[in-house]
Amino acid sequence: MSDDTTDSNGEVELEARLAEQEEFEPPESFVEQANVSDESIYEEFEEDWPDCWERAADLLDWDEEYDTVLDDSDAPFYEWFSDGTLNASYNCIDRHVEAGRKNQAAIRWEGELEETRTYTYQDLYREVNEFAVALRDLGVEEDDVVTLYMPMVPELPIAMLACARIGAPHSVVFAGFSADALATRMNSADSEFLITCDGYYRRGDALNHKQKADEGLRDVDHEVQTVIVDRLGDELTHFLGDDAYDYDDLVDAQQGERVDPVERDAEDMLFLMYTSGTTGEPKGVKHTTGGYLSYVAWTSHAVLDVKPEDTYWCAADIGWITGHSYIVYGPLALGTTTTMYEGTPDYPDKDRLWEIVEKYAVDTLYTAPTAIRAFMKWGEKYPERHDLSSLRLLGTVGEPINPRAWKWYYKHIGSENCPVVDTWWQTETGGMMITTLPGVNTMKPGSAGPPLPGVDARVVDAEGDEVEAGEAGYLTVNRPWPGMLRTLYRNDDRFVQEYWTEYSDEDSDEWVYFPEDGAKIDDDDYITVLGRVDDVLNVSGHRLGTMEIESAIVGVPGVAEAAVVGGDHEVKGEAVYAYVITEDGYEESEELRQKIVEGVEDAIGPIARPEEVIFTPELPKTRSGKIMRRLLEDIANENDLGDTSTLRNPGVVDDIQAKVQSD
Ligand code: WTA
C-alpha cells in the first residue's frame, strides 16, 4: 500500500469519526491559558446578580465610579451603571498609550489589492484626536448624530472613535446599502454630518461610492456637511462640492492637536444602528456608553479570549453590529491588535483569508456560517496551502451553523486544536448572549450553547411557559443585561411594542425581552437557535426585512402586489424569493424582472437582490385575506405543502408550484 492510500484511508476514518461525534471538549492547551476556565463562574454570576456585572464594568476605566449597577425603576427602560461617567475613545486608546503600550499595533489593515497599513495605539491616538478636533471645527457638538457611510477602511473606526471622543453618537450605514437607504437613515436621525469615501475596491474593480452618497444626499431634507476620505486616489478622481471637505486636508490642518475625551454619562448614547424589522421602516437601535462598552469588553474577554498580545480577526464588516462590537469596541477596549480586511474572501483567489491568517499569525478568527459554507464548497485545498497553526480559537455568528459546517471549520481551519464558539446575539443585544465559554464548556455542533453567565435565556411556548427539552419554542430573555438596547431612537413606544409586549406581564412589572427567534433547548440547557419567527430574512448573515423588499418591488411600475419569502440556499442560508403580481396591462417579461431587481438594489442594496422573481396571477390567501407566507416558503423550498383546502384560492397553489419548478 502506498503512503497515499494510507493517508486517504486515514482521512476517510477521520471524517467518519467526526461525522458521528456529537460532543467536543476544549483542548487542554486552550483551557490552561483561557481567560475564563472555571465553571464556577455560572454560579458566581447567579448568586451575585446583578452586581456580577461589575466584573464587566471593571474592565473599563471610569472617570466617575458608579454606585448603582442596575436601575430597573422604569422597566423596560433599564439603566446600567447610570451614575458613572466615562469616555469610550479614552478606554479604547488613551489608557493603553498611558500604560506604556503606545507601540503595540492597534489596527492591522489589509486592502483588497494587498496594500497594508498598521496603526499603533499611538498612531490611533494621534489621528483620532486630530479628526475629533476637525469634527468640532465643522460644528459637531455633543449628542449630534454623525452618519458614517464607509467601506472597510481604517478611517471608519478612526471616525467612530473621534465621534466617541467628543460625545457625538455615530450612525454607521453599511457601504453596501443604497443611496435611498442612506437618505432614510439620515433623515430619521436628523443627521447633519456625513463621513464617506470616494470609493473602494471589489474584486479588483474600483467602485464609485461617492456617487451613491451624493445621490442619497439629494433626498436628505436638511443641510449636511460632508467629509470624504480619498481611498482611490488617481484611480477615481472626484470633486468636492459645497459643504464637502477632504479628510486628509482636515486632519493635516490639525496636526498635533488634541481634544480631551468628553466625560459621558454611562447612559449617554454611544451610537445608533439601524436594523431591519417587521415593518418597512428600519429601527434605530440605541446603545449606550457604559453598559454597551462593558458588555462587549467582557464578552471579548470571556468568549473570544482576547489577550492584549493577540492578533485578533473578526472578518465581518463594521457596517453591521458584529463589526461595531467585535472589530472595534470590544477588541480595542481590551488593547489588542484587531485586523481589518477590505475585500472579499475569494479575491484574488479563494485562499485570501488563509493567506491573511498566515501573514499576520492570527490567533482568533470570528466569522459567519455563510462564509464557512462557501469555504466548504471551495474545498480544503485552499486552507491547506497555508500555515494556520497560529489559530487558537474560532468563532461564528449571524445565523445557525449546521453540524457539518461546524465540523469542517473545526477540522480544516482549526486542525481539531481550537474550540469553536457559536455565538447567538443580535443588533439589539449589543453583544453575545448564548454561546459556550471556550475554556469551560463541552461543545455540541449545531447548538450555540448555554446562556452566558448572568444571562437568563429560555425557550417558551406561545403562553410563555418553558417547553420540554427537545421541543421547539420561542426564545426569550428574562432578565436585563448591560449591553441591551435602551430604546429605538425617538420611538419608545415601538421599542416597548416590538420587544416587550409578547411575554411580559406589565401589571406585575415582569418584563421579558422577545428577540423574535425560534429555538430548542436540551437537557443540559444548551440552546439551538432555529431562526427568525418574524418576517425578517437572514441572507448571508445579513438581516433584511421582507416588508422593505416588498415595498421596493411594488414601487416598480407594472407591479401590483408582491410577497417576499426566504428560500433555502446552500451558501447564503436564505435567498430572497419574490412572488409578483403584475398590474393590468403589464405582463411577465425579462425586462420587468430586471426592473424589479434594480428596484430592490436601488431601495436597499445588492445584498437584497431577489434570487428568483416568480410572476403569478394570484397569491395564496387565507379566507381573511392574509398572504400565506409559510406556503410560499414551502413552494420555494419544494417542500410538501400539506392541506391547502382552507385557502380562499387553493387552485393558485398548483400554478405557482409548477412555475417555480419550471424556472
Ligand atoms: C440570527 C447579528 C443562530 C438570529 C449579530 C438573530 C443566529 C439575528 C446566531 C440577528 C447564531 C445570530 N445562531 N442564529 N449563532 N447569531 N443569529 O441583528 O436570527 O444582524 O435574531 O445581529 O441573526 O441578526 P443581527
Side-chain angles (χ1 to χ4, degrees):
M1 220 193 278
S2 76
D3 279 342
D4 251 340
T5 340
T6 325
D7 273 345
S8 71
N9 277 346
E11 188 76 358
V12 170
E13 270 167 37
L14 184 64
E15 289 290 350
R17 175 170 65 68
L18 277 180
E20 279 177 17
Q21 194 174 339
E22 285 176 3
E23 298 193 354
F24 294 77
E25 293 306 324
E28 203 45 48
S29 54
F30 183 89
V31 176
E32 274 164 16
Q33 59 79 61
N35 287 343
V36 177
S37 57
D38 193 337
E39 66 179 347
S40 61
I41 190 166
Y42 288 95
E43 230 175 276
E44 285 163 25
F45 267 63
E46 224 31 62
E47 280 166 10
D48 198 25
W49 198 92
D51 293 344
C52 54
W53 289 115
E54 284 178 38
R55 288 214 207 182
D58 283 351
L59 293 171
L60 305 181
D61 282 2
W62 295 75
D63 294 331
E64 196 71 56
E65 277 297 328
Y66 56 88
D67 287 322
T68 320
V69 173
L70 170 65
D71 177 353
D72 58 4
S73 56
D74 190 23
F77 298 92
Y78 295 96
E79 296 190 346
W80 287 91
F81 317 119
S82 51
D83 40 14
T85 62
L86 75 169
N87 181 282
S89 155
Y90 176 85
N91 272 282
C92 290
I93 309 172
D94 305 38
R95 63 173 180 151
H96 308 311
V97 173
E98 287 165 14
R101 305 181 55 247
K102 63 174 191 260
N103 289 326
Q104 149 122 19
I107 299 176
R108 286 213 192 274
W109 178 81
E110 167 104 0
E112 203 189 58
L113 304 184
E114 302 189 35
E115 324 96 291
T116 59
R117 275 201 249 165
T118 297
Y119 288 78
T120 63
Y121 275 94
Q122 179 65 28
D123 296 333
L124 200 57
Y125 175 74
R126 198 197 62 238
E127 194 158 324
V128 165
N129 268 286
E130 289 166 357
F131 191 51
V133 180
L135 286 175
R136 271 210 179 145
D137 264 16
L138 285 184
V140 178
E141 289 179 8
E142 206 175 333
D143 293 320
D144 285 348
V145 175
V146 178
T147 302
L148 313 183
Y149 184 44
M150 292 162 92
M152 287 289 282
V153 290
E155 288 81 0
L156 173 52
I158 288 170
M160 291 163 78
L161 292 162
C163 289
R165 195 165 190 89
I166 58 175
H170 52 73
S171 164
V172 178
V173 178
F174 174 56
F177 274 140
S178 67
D180 280 5
L182 171 68
T184 312
R185 286 157 179 74
M186 289 192 75
N187 283 329
S188 161
D190 278 330
S191 175
E192 295 177 349
F193 303 92
L194 172 67
I195 303 162
T196 184
C197 187
D198 60 343
Y200 55 103
Y201 291 102
R202 263 302 167 277
R203 296 204 169 83
D205 295 331
L207 293 193
N208 190 333
H209 187 62
K210 184 172 179 293
Q211 193 183 339
K212 263 198 324 184
D214 287 344
E215 256 174 58
L217 282 175
R218 267 179 242 135
D219 289 329
V220 174
D221 49 27
H222 52 261
E223 301 271 299
V224 176
Q225 301 204 61
T226 307
V227 179
I228 294 147
V229 174
D230 188 352
R231 159 76 182 106
L232 296 180
D234 293 340
E235 182 95 32
L236 186 88
T237 44
H238 65 268
F239 300 97
L240 293 174
D242 293 340
D243 291 330
Y245 306 85
D246 176 72
Y247 176 91
D248 285 330
D249 288 351
L250 292 183
V251 168
D252 289 348
Q254 303 299 342
Q255 226 174 49
E257 292 296 318
R258 300 285 176 261
V259 45
D260 283 340
V262 169
E263 204 173 312
R264 297 282 279 168
D265 286 345
E267 280 295 309
D268 281 343
M269 172 155 64
L270 177 61
F271 68 86
L272 193 58
M273 163 132 262
Y274 283 92
T275 188
S276 294
T278 312
T279 72
E281 203 189 320
K283 310 190 270 198
V285 169
K286 173 182 162 180
H287 281 296
T288 57
T289 313
Y292 170 84
L293 198 62
S294 303
Y295 199 71
V296 296
W298 165 251
T299 45
S300 297
H301 169 82
V303 182
L304 296 172
D305 199 51
V306 166
K307 315 247 190 323
E309 60 276 16
D310 282 350
T311 297
Y312 159 87
W313 185 17
C314 167
D317 192 295
I318 295 177
W320 305 97
I321 192 70
T322 303
H324 278 53
S325 300
Y326 299 112
I327 297 178
V328 183
Y329 286 113
L332 293 179
L334 297 182
T336 194
T337 302
T338 188
T339 312
M340 276 179 79
Y341 172 50
E342 178 187 39
T344 49
D346 56 353
Y347 187 84
D349 202 352
K350 299 187 173 73
D351 64 344
R352 187 64 193 272
L353 259 51
W354 318 126
E355 184 187 281
I356 296 173
V357 168
E358 179 171 6
K359 179 167 166 188
Y360 298 109
V362 169
D363 296 272
T364 298
L365 178 69
Y366 189 34
T367 187
T370 184
I372 297 167
R373 290 191 298 266
F375 304 147
M376 274 175 80
K377 213 172 145 192
W378 298 338
E380 43 266 26
K381 70 171 191 224
Y382 294 102
E384 274 165 9
R385 284 184 195 162
H386 297 276
D387 175 4
L388 306 181
S389 60
S390 59
L391 288 169
R392 176 175 93 234
L393 173 66
L394 301 173
T396 80
V397 55
E399 45 174 332
I401 180 163
N402 59 312
R404 234 185 103 231
W406 192 103
K407 288 174 189 176
W408 189 92
Y409 194 36
Y410 179 73
K411 174 165 183 265
H412 294 288
I413 307 304
S415 295
E416 299 181 74
N417 259 327
C418 307
V420 175
V421 287
D422 170 2
T423 61
W424 176 87
W425 58 291
Q426 309 180 296
T427 304
E428 291 87 341
T429 68
M432 302 161 180
M433 301 289 280
I434 303 174
T435 168
T436 50
L437 287 171
V440 175
N441 305 109
T442 303
M443 296 164 272
K444 301 185 193 179
S447 168
L452 279 175
V455 171
D456 181 359
R458 304 181 190 181
V459 181
V460 302
D461 61 21
E463 275 72 53
D465 299 320
E466 285 184 63
V467 300
E468 301 283 318
E471 274 176 33
Y474 302 99
L475 191 60
T476 59
V477 184
N478 295 51
R479 251 185 343 210
W481 65 101
M484 66 197 300
L485 80 165
R486 296 302 194 268
T487 191
L488 293 178
Y489 192 54
R490 295 177 173 167
N491 206 339
D492 290 347
D493 290 346
R494 189 172 176 199
F495 166 68
V496 177
Q497 182 61 35
E498 293 252 2
Y499 305 107
W500 302 95
T501 45
E502 203 77 28
Y503 293 107
S504 300
D505 180 357
E506 207 173 325
D507 298 332
S508 50
D509 207 23
E510 269 173 38
W511 296 95
V512 176
Y513 172 82
F514 182 42
E516 309 208 54
D517 269 325
K520 281 199 309 207
I521 191 159
D522 72 9
D523 294 327
D524 300 326
D525 275 350
Y526 274 47
I527 295 177
T528 298
V529 179
L530 301 170
R532 305 285 306 189
V533 295
D534 57 359
D535 297 326
V536 169
L537 305 185
N538 196 328
V539 179
S540 302
H542 300 324
R543 188 167 150 180
L544 301 168
T546 50
M547 284 278 283
E548 283 172 79
I549 307 176
E550 284 167 10
S551 70
I553 297 177
V554 295
V556 174
V559 174
E561 202 178 345
V564 164
V565 300
D568 297 340
H569 189 281
E570 191 190 346
V571 174
K572 296 177 179 174
E574 277 189 302
V576 175
Y577 275 64
Y579 295 88
V580 174
I581 302 181
T582 53
E583 265 174 341
D584 269 356
Y586 285 86
E587 283 191 8
E588 156 173 8
S589 68
E590 196 41 49
E591 197 190 338
L592 186 55
R593 188 187 305 267
Q594 196 51 39
K595 288 221 168 88
I596 290 170
V597 171
E598 281 164 15
V600 173
E601 289 188 355
D602 287 349
I604 303 165
I607 48 168
R609 182 190 293 144
E611 184 88 8
E612 297 282 349
V613 177
I614 302 128
F615 290 100
T616 166
E618 271 183 89
L619 291 168
K621 292 194 175 159
T622 60
R623 290 191 195 277
S624 60
K626 271 185 75 175
I627 298 174
M628 287 277 286
R629 286 165 191 285
R630 290 278 154 223
L631 201 58
L632 291 172
E633 261 171 41
D634 284 337
I635 295 175
N637 296 329
E638 304 191 9
N639 291 340
D640 182 28
L641 304 183
D643 183 10
T644 55
S645 61
T646 55
L647 289 177
R648 178 196 280 176
N649 49 354
V652 68
V653 173
D654 290 342
D655 297 348
I656 305 182
Q657 229 173 357
K659 267 205 116 156
V660 171
Q661 282 162 11
S662 72
D663 273 348

